[in-house]
Coordinates of all heavy atoms in Angstrom, one line a residue:
M1 N 8.4 -11.9 -15.7 CA 7.5 -10.8 -16.1 C 8.1 -10.1 -17.3 O 9.3 -9.9 -17.4 CB 7.5 -9.8 -14.9 CG 6.9 -10.3 -13.6 SD 6.4 -9.0 -12.4 CE 8.0 -8.3 -12.0
D2 N 7.2 -9.6 -18.2 CA 7.7 -8.8 -19.3 C 7.4 -7.3 -19.1 O 6.8 -7.0 -18.1 CB 7.1 -9.4 -20.6 CG 5.6 -9.1 -20.7 OD1 5.1 -8.3 -20.0 OD2 5.0 -9.8 -21.6
E3 N 7.8 -6.5 -20.0 CA 7.7 -5.1 -19.9 C 6.2 -4.6 -19.7 O 6.0 -3.5 -19.2 CB 8.3 -4.4 -21.1 CG 9.8 -4.7 -21.3 CD 10.7 -4.3 -20.1 OE1 10.7 -3.2 -19.7 OE2 11.3 -5.2 -19.5
K4 N 5.3 -5.4 -20.2 CA 3.9 -5.0 -20.1 C 3.2 -5.4 -18.9 O 2.0 -5.2 -18.7 CB 3.1 -5.5 -21.4 CG 3.6 -4.8 -22.6 CD 2.7 -5.3 -23.8 CE 3.2 -4.6 -25.1 NZ 2.5 -5.1 -26.3
T5 N 3.9 -6.2 -18.0 CA 3.3 -6.6 -16.8 C 3.0 -5.5 -15.9 O 3.8 -4.6 -15.7 CB 4.3 -7.6 -16.0 OG1 4.6 -8.6 -16.9 CG2 3.7 -8.1 -14.8
I6 N 1.7 -5.5 -15.4 CA 1.3 -4.4 -14.5 C 1.9 -4.6 -13.1 O 1.6 -5.7 -12.5 CB -0.2 -4.3 -14.4 CG1 -0.9 -4.1 -15.8 CG2 -0.7 -3.3 -13.4 CD1 -0.9 -2.7 -16.2
V7 N 2.7 -3.7 -12.6 CA 3.3 -3.8 -11.3 C 2.4 -3.2 -10.3 O 2.1 -3.7 -9.2 CB 4.7 -3.2 -11.2 CG1 5.2 -3.1 -9.8 CG2 5.6 -4.0 -12.1
C8 N 1.9 -2.0 -10.6 CA 1.0 -1.3 -9.7 C -0.4 -1.4 -10.3 O -0.7 -0.7 -11.3 CB 1.4 0.2 -9.6 SG 0.3 1.1 -8.5
R9 N -1.2 -2.3 -9.7 CA -2.6 -2.5 -10.2 C -3.5 -1.3 -10.0 O -4.3 -1.0 -10.8 CB -3.2 -3.7 -9.6 CG -2.5 -5.0 -10.0 CD -3.2 -6.2 -9.4 NE -3.0 -6.2 -8.0 CZ -3.5 -7.0 -7.1 NH1 -4.3 -8.0 -7.6 NH2 -3.2 -7.0 -5.8
C10 N -3.3 -0.6 -8.9 CA -4.1 0.5 -8.6 C -4.0 1.7 -9.6 O -5.0 2.3 -10.0 CB -3.8 1.1 -7.2 SG -4.1 0.0 -5.9
E11 N -2.8 1.9 -10.0 CA -2.5 3.0 -11.0 C -2.2 2.5 -12.4 O -1.8 3.3 -13.2 CB -1.4 3.9 -10.4 CG -1.7 4.6 -9.1 CD -2.8 5.7 -9.3 OE1 -2.9 6.2 -10.4 OE2 -3.5 5.9 -8.3
E12 N -2.2 1.2 -12.6 CA -1.9 0.6 -13.9 C -0.6 1.0 -14.4 O -0.5 1.4 -15.6 CB -3.1 0.9 -14.8 CG -4.4 0.3 -14.4 CD -5.5 0.6 -15.4 OE1 -5.3 1.2 -16.4 OE2 -6.6 0.2 -15.0
V13 N 0.4 0.9 -13.6 CA 1.8 1.2 -14.1 C 2.5 -0.1 -14.4 O 2.5 -1.0 -13.6 CB 2.6 2.0 -13.0 CG1 4.0 2.4 -13.5 CG2 1.8 3.3 -12.6
T14 N 3.1 -0.1 -15.6 CA 3.8 -1.4 -16.0 C 5.2 -1.4 -15.5 O 5.8 -0.4 -15.2 CB 3.8 -1.5 -17.5 OG1 4.6 -0.4 -18.1 CG2 2.4 -1.4 -18.1
L15 N 5.8 -2.7 -15.6 CA 7.2 -2.9 -15.3 C 8.1 -2.1 -16.2 O 9.1 -1.5 -15.8 CB 7.5 -4.4 -15.4 CG 9.0 -4.8 -15.1 CD1 9.4 -4.4 -13.7 CD2 9.2 -6.3 -15.4
G16 N 7.7 -2.0 -17.5 CA 8.5 -1.3 -18.5 C 8.5 0.2 -18.1 O 9.6 0.9 -18.2
T17 N 7.4 0.8 -17.7 CA 7.4 2.2 -17.3 C 8.3 2.4 -16.1 O 9.1 3.4 -16.1 CB 6.0 2.6 -17.0 OG1 5.2 2.4 -18.1 CG2 5.9 4.1 -16.5
I18 N 8.3 1.5 -15.1 CA 9.1 1.7 -14.0 C 10.6 1.6 -14.3 O 11.4 2.4 -13.9 CB 8.7 0.7 -12.9 CG1 7.3 1.1 -12.4 CG2 9.7 0.7 -11.7 CD1 6.7 0.0 -11.5
K19 N 10.9 0.6 -15.1 CA 12.3 0.4 -15.5 C 12.8 1.6 -16.3 O 13.9 2.1 -16.1 CB 12.4 -0.9 -16.4 CG 12.5 -2.2 -15.6 CD 12.7 -3.3 -16.6 CE 13.0 -4.6 -15.9 NZ 13.2 -5.7 -16.9
D20 N 12.0 2.0 -17.3 CA 12.4 3.2 -18.1 C 12.6 4.4 -17.2 O 13.6 5.2 -17.4 CB 11.3 3.5 -19.1 CG 11.3 2.5 -20.2 OD1 12.2 1.7 -20.3 OD2 10.3 2.5 -21.0
T21 N 11.8 4.6 -16.2 CA 11.9 5.8 -15.4 C 13.2 5.7 -14.5 O 13.9 6.7 -14.4 CB 10.6 5.9 -14.4 OG1 9.5 6.0 -15.2 CG2 10.7 7.1 -13.5
V22 N 13.4 4.5 -14.0 CA 14.6 4.4 -13.1 C 15.9 4.6 -14.0 O 16.8 5.3 -13.6 CB 14.7 3.0 -12.4 CG1 16.0 2.8 -11.7 CG2 13.5 2.8 -11.5
Q23 N 15.9 4.0 -15.2 CA 17.1 4.1 -16.0 C 17.3 5.5 -16.5 O 18.4 6.1 -16.6 CB 17.0 3.2 -17.2 CG 17.1 1.7 -16.8 CD 16.7 0.7 -17.9 OE1 16.0 1.1 -18.8 NE2 17.1 -0.5 -17.7
H24 N 16.2 6.2 -16.9 CA 16.3 7.5 -17.4 C 16.7 8.6 -16.4 O 17.5 9.5 -16.6 CB 15.0 8.0 -18.1 CG 15.1 9.2 -18.8 ND1 14.7 10.4 -18.3 CD2 15.6 9.5 -20.1 CE1 14.9 11.4 -19.2 NE2 15.4 10.9 -20.3
Y25 N 16.1 8.5 -15.2 CA 16.3 9.5 -14.1 C 17.2 9.0 -13.0 O 17.5 9.8 -12.1 CB 15.0 9.9 -13.5 CG 14.1 10.6 -14.5 CD1 13.0 9.9 -15.1 CD2 14.3 11.9 -14.9 CE1 12.2 10.5 -16.0 CE2 13.5 12.5 -15.9 CZ 12.4 11.8 -16.4 OH 11.6 12.4 -17.3
N26 N 17.7 7.7 -13.1 CA 18.5 7.2 -12.0 C 18.0 7.5 -10.7 O 18.6 8.1 -9.8 CB 20.0 7.8 -12.1 CG 20.9 7.1 -11.2 OD1 20.7 5.9 -10.9 ND2 22.0 7.7 -10.8
C27 N 16.7 7.1 -10.5 CA 16.0 7.6 -9.3 C 15.7 6.5 -8.3 O 15.8 5.3 -8.5 CB 14.7 8.3 -9.8 SG 13.6 7.3 -10.8
S28 N 15.3 7.0 -7.1 CA 14.9 6.2 -6.0 C 13.5 5.7 -6.1 O 12.7 6.2 -7.0 CB 15.0 7.0 -4.7 OG 14.0 8.0 -4.7
P29 N 13.0 4.8 -5.3 CA 11.6 4.3 -5.3 C 10.7 5.5 -5.1 O 9.6 5.6 -5.7 CB 11.5 3.3 -4.2 CG 12.9 2.8 -4.0 CD 13.8 4.0 -4.3
R30 N 11.0 6.4 -4.2 CA 10.2 7.6 -4.0 C 10.0 8.4 -5.2 O 8.9 8.9 -5.5 CB 10.7 8.4 -2.8 CG 9.8 9.5 -2.4 CD 10.3 10.2 -1.1 NE 9.3 11.1 -0.7 CZ 9.0 12.3 -1.3 NH1 9.6 12.7 -2.3 NH2 8.0 13.1 -0.7
E31 N 11.1 8.6 -5.9 CA 11.0 9.4 -7.2 C 10.2 8.6 -8.2 O 9.5 9.3 -9.0 CB 12.4 9.7 -7.7 CG 13.2 10.7 -6.8 CD 14.6 10.8 -7.1 OE1 15.3 9.7 -7.4 OE2 15.2 11.9 -7.1
V32 N 10.3 7.3 -8.3 CA 9.5 6.5 -9.2 C 8.1 6.8 -8.9 O 7.2 7.0 -9.8 CB 9.9 5.0 -9.1 CG1 8.9 4.2 -9.9 CG2 11.3 4.8 -9.6
K33 N 7.7 6.8 -7.6 CA 6.4 7.0 -7.2 C 5.9 8.4 -7.7 O 4.8 8.5 -8.2 CB 6.3 6.9 -5.7 CG 4.9 7.2 -5.1 CD 5.0 7.0 -3.6 CE 3.7 7.3 -2.9 NZ 3.7 7.1 -1.5
L34 N 6.7 9.4 -7.5 CA 6.3 10.7 -7.9 C 6.2 10.9 -9.4 O 5.3 11.6 -9.9 CB 7.3 11.8 -7.3 CG 7.3 11.8 -5.8 CD1 8.4 12.7 -5.3 CD2 6.0 12.3 -5.2
R35 N 7.0 10.2 -10.1 CA 7.0 10.4 -11.6 C 6.0 9.5 -12.3 O 5.5 9.9 -13.3 CB 8.4 10.0 -12.1 CG 9.5 11.0 -11.8 CD 10.8 10.7 -12.5 NE 11.8 11.7 -12.1 CZ 12.0 12.9 -12.6 NH1 11.2 13.3 -13.6 NH2 12.9 13.6 -12.2
T36 N 5.6 8.3 -11.7 CA 4.8 7.4 -12.4 C 3.4 7.2 -11.7 O 2.5 6.6 -12.3 CB 5.4 6.0 -12.5 OG1 5.5 5.4 -11.3 CG2 6.8 6.1 -13.2
R37 N 3.3 7.6 -10.5 CA 2.1 7.4 -9.6 C 2.1 5.9 -9.1 O 1.2 5.5 -8.4 CB 0.8 7.7 -10.3 CG 0.7 9.2 -10.5 CD -0.8 9.6 -10.8 NE -1.7 9.2 -9.8 CZ -1.9 9.8 -8.7 NH1 -1.3 10.9 -8.4 NH2 -2.8 9.4 -7.8
A38 N 3.1 5.1 -9.4 CA 3.1 3.7 -8.9 C 3.3 3.8 -7.4 O 4.2 4.4 -6.9 CB 4.3 2.9 -9.5
G39 N 2.4 3.2 -6.6 CA 2.4 3.2 -5.2 C 1.5 4.3 -4.6 O 1.4 4.4 -3.4
M40 N 0.8 5.1 -5.4 CA -0.1 6.1 -4.9 C -1.5 5.7 -5.0 O -2.4 6.5 -4.8 CB 0.1 7.4 -5.8 CG 1.3 8.1 -5.6 SD 1.3 9.7 -6.5 CE 2.7 10.5 -5.9
G41 N -1.8 4.4 -5.2 CA -3.2 4.0 -5.5 C -3.9 3.7 -4.2 O -3.5 4.0 -3.1
Y42 N -5.0 3.1 -4.4 CA -6.0 2.8 -3.3 C -5.4 1.9 -2.2 O -5.7 2.1 -1.0 CB -7.2 2.0 -4.0 CG -8.3 1.7 -3.0 CD1 -9.2 2.7 -2.7 CD2 -8.5 0.5 -2.5 CE1 -10.3 2.5 -1.8 CE2 -9.5 0.2 -1.6 CZ -10.4 1.2 -1.3 OH -11.4 1.0 -0.4
C43 N -4.5 1.0 -2.5 CA -3.9 0.1 -1.5 C -2.8 0.8 -0.8 O -2.2 0.2 0.1 CB -3.5 -1.2 -2.1 SG -2.0 -1.1 -3.0
G44 N -2.4 2.0 -1.2 CA -1.3 2.7 -0.5 C 0.1 2.1 -0.8 O 1.0 2.2 0.0
G45 N 0.2 1.3 -1.8 CA 1.5 0.7 -2.2 C 1.7 -0.6 -1.6 O 2.8 -1.2 -1.7
R46 N 0.8 -1.2 -0.8 CA 1.0 -2.4 -0.2 C 1.3 -3.6 -1.2 O 2.0 -4.5 -0.9 CB -0.2 -2.8 0.7 CG -0.2 -2.1 2.0 CD -1.5 -2.4 2.8 NE -1.4 -1.7 4.0 CZ -1.4 -0.4 4.2 NH1 -1.6 0.4 3.2 NH2 -1.3 0.1 5.4
T47 N 0.7 -3.5 -2.3 CA 0.8 -4.5 -3.3 C 2.1 -4.4 -4.2 O 2.8 -5.3 -4.5 CB -0.4 -4.6 -4.3 OG1 -1.6 -4.6 -3.5 CG2 -0.4 -5.7 -5.2
C48 N 2.4 -3.2 -4.5 CA 3.5 -2.9 -5.5 C 4.8 -2.5 -4.9 O 5.8 -2.5 -5.6 CB 3.0 -1.9 -6.5 SG 2.6 -0.3 -5.8
R49 N 4.8 -2.0 -3.6 CA 6.0 -1.4 -3.0 C 7.3 -2.3 -3.1 O 8.3 -1.8 -3.5 CB 5.8 -1.1 -1.6 CG 7.0 -0.5 -0.9 CD 6.8 -0.2 0.6 NE 5.6 0.6 0.8 CZ 4.5 0.3 1.4 NH1 4.3 -1.0 1.8 NH2 3.5 1.1 1.6
N50 N 7.1 -3.6 -2.8 CA 8.3 -4.4 -2.8 C 8.9 -4.7 -4.2 O 10.1 -4.7 -4.3 CB 7.9 -5.8 -2.1 CG 7.7 -5.6 -0.6 OD1 8.2 -4.7 0.0 ND2 6.9 -6.6 -0.1
V51 N 8.0 -4.8 -5.2 CA 8.5 -5.0 -6.5 C 9.2 -3.7 -7.0 O 10.2 -3.8 -7.6 CB 7.3 -5.3 -7.5 CG1 7.8 -5.4 -8.9 CG2 6.7 -6.6 -7.0
I52 N 8.6 -2.5 -6.7 CA 9.2 -1.3 -7.1 C 10.6 -1.2 -6.5 O 11.6 -0.8 -7.2 CB 8.3 -0.1 -6.8 CG1 7.0 -0.1 -7.5 CG2 9.1 1.2 -7.0 CD1 6.0 0.8 -7.1
N53 N 10.7 -1.4 -5.2 CA 12.0 -1.4 -4.5 C 13.0 -2.3 -5.1 O 14.1 -2.0 -5.3 CB 11.8 -1.7 -3.0 CG 11.2 -0.6 -2.2 OD1 11.1 0.5 -2.7 ND2 10.7 -0.9 -1.1
Q54 N 12.5 -3.5 -5.5 CA 13.4 -4.5 -6.1 C 13.9 -4.1 -7.4 O 15.1 -4.3 -7.7 CB 12.7 -5.9 -6.2 CG 13.5 -7.0 -6.6 CD 12.7 -8.3 -6.6 OE1 11.5 -8.4 -6.3 NE2 13.4 -9.4 -6.9
V55 N 13.0 -3.6 -8.2 CA 13.4 -3.1 -9.6 C 14.5 -2.0 -9.5 O 15.5 -2.0 -10.2 CB 12.2 -2.6 -10.4 CG1 12.6 -1.9 -11.7 CG2 11.3 -3.8 -10.7
V56 N 14.2 -1.0 -8.6 CA 15.2 0.1 -8.4 C 16.5 -0.4 -7.9 O 17.5 0.0 -8.4 CB 14.6 1.1 -7.4 CG1 15.6 2.2 -7.0 CG2 13.3 1.8 -8.0
E57 N 16.5 -1.4 -7.0 CA 17.8 -1.9 -6.5 C 18.5 -2.6 -7.6 O 19.7 -2.5 -7.7 CB 17.5 -3.0 -5.4 CG 17.5 -2.4 -4.0 CD 17.4 -3.4 -2.9 OE1 17.1 -4.6 -3.2 OE2 17.5 -3.1 -1.8
E58 N 17.8 -3.4 -8.4 CA 18.5 -4.2 -9.5 C 19.1 -3.2 -10.5 O 20.2 -3.4 -11.0 CB 17.5 -5.1 -10.1 CG 17.2 -6.3 -9.3 CD 16.2 -7.3 -9.9 OE1 15.8 -7.1 -11.1 OE2 15.7 -8.1 -9.2
I59 N 18.4 -2.2 -10.9 CA 18.8 -1.3 -11.9 C 20.0 -0.4 -11.4 O 21.0 -0.2 -12.1 CB 17.7 -0.5 -12.5 CG1 16.7 -1.4 -13.3 CG2 18.2 0.7 -13.4 CD1 15.5 -0.8 -13.8
N60 N 19.8 0.1 -10.2 CA 20.8 1.0 -9.7 C 22.0 0.3 -9.1 O 23.0 0.9 -8.8 CB 20.2 2.0 -8.6 CG 19.3 3.0 -9.2 OD1 19.4 3.3 -10.4 ND2 18.4 3.5 -8.4
K61 N 21.8 -1.0 -8.9 CA 22.9 -1.9 -8.4 C 23.4 -1.4 -7.0 O 24.6 -1.5 -6.7 CB 24.0 -2.0 -9.4 CG 23.6 -2.6 -10.7 CD 24.8 -3.0 -11.5 CE 24.4 -3.6 -12.9 NZ 23.1 -4.2 -13.1
K62 N 22.5 -1.0 -6.2 CA 22.9 -0.6 -4.8 C 21.6 -0.7 -3.9 O 20.5 -0.5 -4.4 CB 23.5 0.8 -4.7 CG 22.6 1.9 -5.2 CD 23.3 3.2 -5.1 CE 22.4 4.3 -5.6 NZ 23.0 5.6 -5.6
P63 N 21.8 -1.1 -2.7 CA 20.7 -1.2 -1.8 C 20.0 0.1 -1.5 O 20.6 1.2 -1.6 CB 21.3 -1.8 -0.5 CG 22.7 -1.5 -0.6 CD 23.1 -1.4 -2.0
I64 N 18.7 0.0 -1.3 CA 17.9 1.2 -1.0 C 18.1 1.6 0.4 O 18.0 0.8 1.3 CB 16.4 0.9 -1.3 CG1 16.3 0.6 -2.8 CG2 15.6 2.1 -0.9 CD1 14.9 0.0 -3.1
T65 N 18.3 2.9 0.7 CA 18.4 3.3 2.0 C 17.1 3.7 2.6 O 16.1 3.9 1.8 CB 19.4 4.5 2.1 OG1 18.9 5.5 1.2 CG2 20.8 4.1 1.7
D66 N 17.0 3.8 3.9 CA 15.7 4.1 4.5 C 15.0 5.4 4.0 O 13.8 5.5 3.8 CB 15.8 4.1 6.0 CG 15.9 2.7 6.6 OD1 15.6 1.8 5.9 OD2 16.3 2.6 7.8
E67 N 15.8 6.4 3.8 CA 15.2 7.7 3.5 C 14.7 7.8 2.1 O 13.9 8.7 1.8 CB 16.2 8.8 3.7 CG 17.4 8.8 2.8 CD 18.6 8.0 3.4 OE1 18.4 7.3 4.4 OE2 19.7 8.1 2.9
V68 N 15.0 6.8 1.2 CA 14.4 6.9 -0.1 C 13.4 5.8 -0.4 O 13.0 5.6 -1.5 CB 15.5 6.9 -1.2 CG1 16.3 8.1 -1.2 CG2 16.4 5.6 -1.1
Q69 N 13.1 5.0 0.6 CA 12.1 3.9 0.3 C 10.7 4.6 0.3 O 10.5 5.7 0.7 CB 12.1 2.9 1.5 CG 13.3 2.0 1.5 CD 13.1 0.9 2.5 OE1 12.1 0.8 3.2 NE2 14.2 0.2 2.7
L70 N 9.8 3.8 -0.3 CA 8.4 4.3 -0.4 C 7.8 4.4 1.0 O 8.1 3.5 1.8 CB 7.6 3.4 -1.2 CG 7.9 3.3 -2.7 CD1 7.0 2.4 -3.4 CD2 7.8 4.7 -3.3
S71 N 7.1 5.4 1.3 CA 6.5 5.5 2.7 C 5.2 4.7 2.7 O 4.6 4.5 1.7 CB 6.3 7.0 3.0 OG 5.4 7.6 2.0
Y72 N 4.8 4.4 3.9 CA 3.6 3.6 4.1 C 2.5 4.6 4.3 O 2.6 5.6 5.0 CB 3.7 2.7 5.3 CG 4.6 1.5 5.1 CD1 6.0 1.6 5.2 CD2 4.1 0.3 4.8 CE1 6.8 0.6 5.0 CE2 4.9 -0.8 4.6 CZ 6.3 -0.7 4.7 OH 7.1 -1.7 4.4
R73 N 1.4 4.3 3.7 CA 0.2 5.1 3.8 C -1.0 4.2 4.2 O -1.1 3.0 3.8 CB -0.2 5.7 2.4 CG 0.9 6.6 1.8 CD 0.7 8.0 2.4 NE 1.6 8.9 1.7 CZ 2.6 9.5 2.2 NH1 2.8 9.4 3.5 NH2 3.4 10.3 1.5
S74 N -1.9 4.8 4.9 CA -3.1 4.1 5.3 C -4.0 3.9 4.1 O -4.0 4.8 3.2 CB -3.9 4.9 6.3 OG -3.1 5.2 7.4
P75 N -4.7 2.8 4.0 CA -5.7 2.6 2.9 C -6.8 3.6 3.0 O -7.2 4.0 4.1 CB -6.2 1.2 3.1 CG -5.6 0.6 4.3 CD -4.7 1.6 4.8
V76 N -7.2 4.1 1.8 CA -8.3 5.1 1.8 C -9.6 4.5 1.8 O -9.9 3.6 1.0 CB -8.1 6.0 0.5 CG1 -9.2 7.0 0.4 CG2 -6.8 6.7 0.5
R77 N -10.4 4.8 2.8 CA -11.8 4.4 2.8 C -12.7 5.5 3.1 O -12.4 6.3 4.1 CB -12.0 3.3 3.9 CG -11.2 2.0 3.6 CD -11.7 0.9 4.5 NE -11.1 -0.3 4.1 CZ -9.9 -0.8 4.5 NH1 -9.2 0.0 5.3 NH2 -9.4 -1.9 4.0
P78 N -13.8 5.7 2.4 CA -14.7 6.8 2.7 C -15.4 6.6 4.1 O -15.9 5.5 4.4 CB -15.7 6.8 1.6 CG -15.6 5.4 0.9 CD -14.2 4.9 1.3
V79 N -15.5 7.6 4.8 CA -16.2 7.6 6.1 C -17.1 8.8 6.2 O -16.7 9.9 5.9 CB -15.1 7.6 7.3 CG1 -15.9 7.7 8.6 CG2 -14.2 6.5 7.2
T80 N -18.3 8.6 6.6 CA -19.3 9.7 6.7 C -19.0 10.5 8.0 O -18.4 10.0 8.9 CB -20.7 9.2 6.8 OG1 -20.9 8.5 8.0 CG2 -21.0 8.3 5.6
L81 N -19.4 11.8 8.0 CA -19.3 12.6 9.2 C -20.1 12.0 10.3 O -19.7 12.2 11.5 CB -19.7 14.0 8.8 CG -18.8 14.8 7.9 CD1 -19.4 16.2 7.5 CD2 -17.4 15.0 8.5
G82 N -21.2 11.4 10.0 CA -22.0 10.8 11.0 C -21.3 9.7 11.8 O -21.3 9.6 13.0
V83 N -20.5 8.9 11.1 CA -19.7 7.8 11.7 C -18.6 8.5 12.6 O -18.4 8.0 13.7 CB -19.1 6.9 10.6 CG1 -18.1 6.0 11.3 CG2 -20.2 6.1 10.0
L84 N -18.0 9.5 12.0 CA -16.9 10.2 12.8 C -17.5 10.8 14.1 O -16.9 10.8 15.1 CB -16.2 11.2 12.0 CG -15.4 10.7 10.8 CD1 -14.8 11.9 10.0 CD2 -14.2 9.9 11.4
G85 N -18.8 11.3 14.0 CA -19.4 11.9 15.1 C -20.1 11.0 16.0 O -20.7 11.4 17.0
G86 N -20.1 9.7 15.7 CA -20.7 8.7 16.6 C -22.2 8.5 16.3 O -22.9 7.9 17.1
V87 N -22.7 9.1 15.3 CA -24.2 9.0 15.0 C -24.4 7.6 14.3 O -23.7 7.2 13.4 CB -24.6 10.1 14.0 CG1 -26.1 9.9 13.6 CG2 -24.3 11.4 14.6
T88 N -25.4 6.9 14.8 CA -25.8 5.6 14.3 C -27.1 5.8 13.6 O -27.8 6.9 13.7 CB -25.9 4.5 15.3 OG1 -27.0 4.9 16.2 CG2 -24.6 4.4 16.1
H89 N -27.5 4.8 12.8 CA -28.8 4.9 12.1 C -30.0 5.1 13.1 O -31.0 5.6 12.7 CB -29.0 3.7 11.2 CG -28.1 3.8 10.0 ND1 -28.2 4.7 9.0 CD2 -27.0 3.0 9.7 CE1 -27.2 4.5 8.1 NE2 -26.5 3.5 8.5
D90 N -29.9 4.6 14.3 CA -31.0 4.6 15.3 C -31.2 6.0 15.7 O -32.4 6.4 16.0 CB -30.6 3.7 16.5 CG -30.5 2.2 16.1 OD1 -31.1 1.9 15.1 OD2 -29.9 1.5 16.8
N91 N -30.2 6.9 15.9 CA -30.5 8.2 16.4 C -30.3 9.3 15.4 O -30.1 10.4 15.7 CB -29.6 8.4 17.6 CG -28.1 8.3 17.3 OD1 -27.7 8.2 16.2 ND2 -27.3 8.4 18.4
E92 N -30.3 9.0 14.1 CA -30.1 10.0 13.0 C -31.4 10.8 12.8 O -31.3 12.0 12.5 CB -29.8 9.3 11.7 CG -28.3 9.1 11.5 CD -28.0 8.5 10.1 OE1 -28.1 7.3 10.0 OE2 -27.8 9.3 9.2
G93 N -32.5 10.2 13.0 CA -33.8 10.9 12.6 C -34.4 11.7 13.6 O -35.0 12.7 13.4
Ligands
LIG101 S1 -0.9 -1.6 -6.4 FE1 0.3 0.1 -6.4 S2 -0.7 1.5 -5.1 FE2 -1.9 -0.3 -5.1

């Protein structure tokens, strides 16, 4: 991968941006997320989390502890109030 490789497809964050952020701020994966939005996208970090963790580990040269790993989020999907209320198309009208 080169510096222009997109690591977080949802937020279009490159490997170079993540590396620069970790080197400049000496930060954890969670801080990378807050500073770059990598991991905050539609997939909830499922696609990019492992790469971000790996980059942070490699640059900081120490394993990531549980409290600074990226948290898991549910994927975002729009749901209507009718669906939440149990309304189906048959009894809407
Ligand atoms: S790829 Fe990073 S949040 Fe989806």
